[in-house]
Amino acid sequence: MRGVLPLLFHSSACSLLIQSAVRFLRARTAWLLLLIGPALLFCSAGQANDSPWSVLQRAQQASQRLSYQGVLSVQSGKHIQSSRVTHVWDPQHGELEAIESLQGLSVEWIRHNEDVQCVMHDVKTIRMEKRHASQAFSRLMSARIEELSNRYTIAQKDGDRVAGMDSTIFELRPKDTLRFGYRLWIERETGLLLRSQTLGDNDEVIEQVSFSEIKVGSIPDKQRPKFKAAGEGWRLEDATVSAQEAVLPLQIAFKPGVPGFRQVSGVVRKTRNTTVNQYVYTDGLASVSIFVENFNPSRPQANAVIHHGAVRTIVKRVGDYSVTAMGEVPLPTVRQFLNEIDIRKP
């Protein structure tokens, strides 16, 4: 494999642990679970008279400062993928996170702050890279209330129990057809997001990410996530980039642009054979990633369209470049990103 596909393959394998654990799991699913993800959202439940928006805002602000262990399941149609998730907040050392697949490929995704390791046992490969977004429940990763309220309505619903814990349900409905709706189950005492549903037309559940079991509190030292060493017969892939390499060689813009989405990151990703530029856009809930690489005439460049759960992906040639757009949004939104893209060198 060459180009962006191996990048997506590796990310998806690691995301199978998450999303989200592989968007809840990120990544937000074989190579499509990768991106989104799903990621873990925590908040302080606050006072009973708090508005739903203020509860979700605190969820964003407090997302890192909770330790927990649990089993997280991602369901897309008839496909269910479960992962064991461990998250540790250490005031001295920051965040430690591990996601281990419980079915299919044996993969572990381990993170210490910005350093990430994906351990693929079946192919004896360890991949090192830098993290650019939280991986386990990615909802509200960059949400601003004023932005969200312009694009979504919110309603608080009757509570429910998830993984033996009482929760309050919040429903977010889009004000246009460019994005999906969401239903969130937030635990009443800790503010932990226990379940997330992505909603399509007529309230169809496109994807659900949910804890089947969860324990909140301190994690014993023996169970804290630790990076693995490459043993005999293992291959170590270093996908990190230097400060010089991390300077994006291309600039992209969208004319007139997709309403409500703004760029939150732009990074250089390395594969074995090439370098890929990745740009991430979000409206605070939904996200779209744009991967740009040089066009290679030796590879088929069909305008592929792929659906998996809530993720829509299109691969298309744009001038001298091959562009992959993928996001947890309706297919017309992905097409709009591709149709309006303008790629240029600085």
Side-chain angles (χ1 to χ4, degrees), residues 21 28 30 35 52 58 150 192 198 204 207 211 237:
R28 291 62 170 311
L35 165 237
R58 280 195 306 275
N150 287 335
L192 170 65
T198 303
E204 173 197 6
E207 182 174 85
F211 279 111
E237 297 181 357

Side-chain angles (χ1 to χ4, degrees), residues 161-166 187 194 211-214:
R161 284 175 61 80
V162 178
M165 306 179 79
D166 293 327
E187 204 275 324
L194 298 175
F211 279 111
S212 57
E213 57 184 72
I214 183 72

Side-chain angles (χ1 to χ4, degrees), residues 179-317:
R179 53 210 97 223
F180 292 128
Y182 301 95
R183 188 176 291 130
L184 309 175
W185 282 253
I186 295 181
E187 204 275 324
R188 292 175 182 172
E189 296 297 325
T190 64
L192 170 65
L193 179 61
L194 298 175
R195 176 181 293 161
S196 171
Q197 290 180 345
T198 303
L199 307 175
D201 295 335
N202 301 316
D203 276 357
E204 173 197 6
V205 177
I206 301 173
E207 182 174 85
Q208 173 173 288
V209 188
S210 180
F211 279 111
S212 57
E213 57 184 72
I214 183 72
K215 179 181 179 181
V216 179
S218 61
I219 307 298
D221 287 344
K222 290 184 178 180
Q223 299 178 26
R224 291 164 69 97
K226 297 180 180 64
F227 282 154
K228 310 292 186 183
E232 183 177 355
W234 281 67
R235 181 174 68 247
L236 180 64
E237 297 181 357
D238 188 355
T240 58
V241 294
S242 66
Q244 183 176 1
E245 290 176 313
V247 177
L248 287 164
L250 299 174
Q251 293 179 347
I252 67 173
F254 299 92
K255 299 178 181 178
V258 183
F261 286 86
R262 58 187 174 86
Q263 184 176 340
V264 292
S265 70
V267 299
V268 176
R269 308 292 299 274
K270 291 195 300 184
T271 72
R272 297 179 194 173
N273 300 292
T274 190
T275 298
V276 178
N277 303 288
Q278 180 185 4
Y279 309 81
V280 179
Y281 292 79
T282 183
D283 69 355
L285 282 176
S287 63
V288 176
S289 283
I290 308 294
F291 299 89
V292 181
E293 60 179 320
N294 290 328
F295 173 72
N296 186 339
S298 67
R299 292 204 308 271
Q301 298 292 330
N303 291 336
V305 178
I306 303 171
H307 294 226
H308 192 291
V311 182
R312 309 292 185 256
T313 304
I314 302 177
V315 183
K316 180 180 179 181
R317 178 180 178 180

Side-chain angles (χ1 to χ4, degrees), residues 81-221:
Q81 176 70 40
S82 297
S83 303
R84 180 177 293 108
V85 179
T86 302
H87 181 273
V88 175
W89 166 248
D90 186 318
Q92 291 184 324
H93 301 98
E95 281 187 281
L96 298 168
E97 189 172 23
I99 302 167
E100 177 187 1
S101 63
L102 298 179
Q103 299 148 314
L105 297 175
S106 177
V107 188
E108 293 178 79
W109 184 91
I110 305 165
R111 177 173 68 87
H112 180 205
N113 295 328
E114 302 305 312
D115 295 314
V116 173
Q117 184 183 75
C118 183
V119 183
M120 294 167 275
H121 295 275
D122 295 323
V123 292
K124 292 188 175 181
T125 299
I126 297 176
R127 181 177 175 85
M128 300 294 301
E129 59 183 26
K130 291 288 185 181
R131 178 190 76 120
H132 303 287
S134 178
Q135 297 300 311
F137 254 126
S138 56
R139 300 276 178 258
L140 300 180
M141 66 178 183
S142 62
R144 301 171 182 171
I145 284 183
E146 60 273 20
E147 291 178 339
L148 291 178
S149 61
N150 287 335
R151 304 298 172 187
Y152 298 88
T153 62
I154 188 170
Q156 182 173 330
K157 301 295 184 177
D158 292 338
D160 196 1
R161 284 175 61 80
V162 178
M165 306 179 79
D166 293 327
S167 65
T168 301
I169 302 173
F170 295 90
E171 289 187 354
L172 293 98
R173 304 287 182 175
K175 295 182 178 181
D176 55 34
T177 60
L178 295 173
R179 53 210 97 223
F180 292 128
Y182 301 95
R183 188 176 291 130
L184 309 175
W185 282 253
I186 295 181
E187 204 275 324
R188 292 175 182 172
E189 296 297 325
T190 64
L192 170 65
L193 179 61
L194 298 175
R195 176 181 293 161
S196 171
Q197 290 180 345
T198 303
L199 307 175
D201 295 335
N202 301 316
D203 276 357
E204 173 197 6
V205 177
I206 301 173
E207 182 174 85
Q208 173 173 288
V209 188
S210 180
F211 279 111
S212 57
E213 57 184 72
I214 183 72
K215 179 181 179 181
V216 179
S218 61
I219 307 298
D221 287 344

